Amino acid sequence: MTAILGVLNVTPDSFSDGGRWERLDDAVAHAQRMRDAGADWIDVGGESTRPGSVAVDPREEQDRVLPVVRALADADIPVSIDTRNAATARAAVEAGATMINDVSGGLYDPHMGPVAAETGVRFVVMHWRGGVDVAPEYIDVVSEVRSELKARLAELIVFGVKPEQLIIDPGLGFAKTAQHNWELLRGLDQLTQLAPVLIGASRKRFLGRLLPPNAPLGKRDAPTATISALAASAGAWGVRVHDVAATRLALDVWDHWKTGGAGDSD
């Protein structure tokens, strides 16, 4: 079964929902709604990585995320911490998080690999060439991303991270054009040979190109759910989404397609 990570940004400036979940009660309530809608994990982030975003001091990041992580862990809701900072990752795991999701794949903070090794939690390693504002330059994006992720996994294993902890993310939208994103999705089977794959396409700009100009961000949830189902059919381990209910329904449709409706009585 493909896992669903529900996005919970406790930031003032995230591109999709910045400022909506800054209050602890609002964040926890939204996380519970996503859990009830079918999320397997809540992915809590305290630093925006949208184009033009500014790095947040790890102490401020921790002030944003740790109360939420503790509250969700106390409610037995599985938590992933979305951070590039090793200190935040360690503190979040101590507060109850059981997965680290690092958009830099451990390259931004050299202490991240050792923290992943010491904590033993699952570690999402995203393909990274320096962020969303870096110019996208590839000859063959699928083979290059695959090669760079393979090398990164090998480096992390040297740090002591166990292979079974590792999940990879091709980094859609990070130093990649819309065409690069689509090529990576089409070539997903080449990535699933390396490690379990997480796909994070939710509400990203390249999906907006399928819609009328100036369409609200929420209109990107339908193509996101479609990508979720197609990613599941291609063997993805998980998807990271804002609209959990739409993706849960899409994945249920794929599951019934795959099994021929086994278990349905009429």
Side-chain angles (χ1 to χ4, degrees):
M1 183 69 72
T2 304
I4 298 175
L5 276 67
V7 177
L8 181 58
N9 292 316
V10 287
T11 60
D13 57 345
S14 291
F15 83 96
S16 174
D17 52 3
R20 293 191 67 187
W21 318 118
E22 286 187 277
R23 292 181 63 252
L24 177 60
D25 290 349
D26 291 340
V28 172
H30 183 55
Q32 186 62 65
R33 287 192 294 270
M34 289 193 289
R35 179 67 168 162
D36 293 344
D40 299 287
W41 305 78
I42 304 300
D43 193 42
V44 180
E47 179 185 45
S48 174
T49 52
R50 62 176 175 78
S53 59
V54 177
V56 174
D57 184 278
R59 289 169 295 184
E60 181 178 354
E61 181 188 32
Q62 290 166 41
D63 287 342
R64 294 174 179 178
V65 301
L66 294 181
V68 179
V69 172
R70 291 191 190 97
L72 298 184
D74 288 345
D76 293 323
I77 297 176
V79 180
S80 167
I81 181 64
D82 177 3
T83 183
R84 303 180 294 175
N85 296 303
T88 300
R90 184 188 295 279
V93 172
E94 291 172 354
T98 52
M99 186 188 310
I100 299 167
N101 180 12
D102 182 352
V103 297
S104 79
L107 291 171
Y108 180 81
D109 186 334
H111 300 292
M112 186 65 88
V115 166
E118 291 164 19
T119 59
V121 300
R122 293 183 181 183
F123 184 34
V124 179
V125 180
M126 200 188 81
H127 178 260
W128 173 263
R129 284 190 175 181
V132 292
D133 295 317
V134 173
E137 297 180 3
Y138 301 90
I139 296 173
D140 182 335
V141 67
V142 177
S143 65
E144 289 176 56
V145 168
R146 186 183 190 281
S147 176
E148 290 170 28
L149 281 170
K150 183 177 181 179
R152 189 69 194 123
L153 295 182
E155 292 167 358
L156 289 165
I157 289 170
V158 170
F159 278 124
V161 182
K162 296 177 181 176
E164 57 267 27
Q165 290 177 245
L166 295 167
I167 298 163
I168 58 174
D169 179 338
L172 302 180
F174 285 79
K176 297 171 186 75
T177 65
Q179 182 177 349
H180 292 147
N181 295 335
W182 289 117
E183 289 178 6
L184 284 164
L185 289 168
R186 183 178 63 178
L188 186 57
D189 60 324
Q190 297 183 50
L191 301 178
T192 57
Q193 297 169 9
L194 284 181
V197 176
L198 175 68
I199 293 296
S202 186
R203 296 183 179 174
K204 289 191 174 176
R205 184 181 301 172
F206 77 107
L207 298 182
R209 296 187 177 192
L210 302 174
L211 301 167
N214 302 315
L217 284 173
K219 293 294 185 180
R220 300 179 187 181
D221 290 334
T224 297
T226 303
I227 285 176
S228 295
L230 293 171
S233 72
W237 169 86
V239 291
R240 180 180 182 274
V241 300
H242 295 83
D243 184 345
V244 170
T247 278
R248 178 72 277 158
L249 182 58
L251 293 181
D252 287 346
V253 169
W254 159 241
D255 187 59
H256 279 68
W257 182 305
K258 178 176 58 176
T259 63
D264 284 359
S265 58
D266 54 15

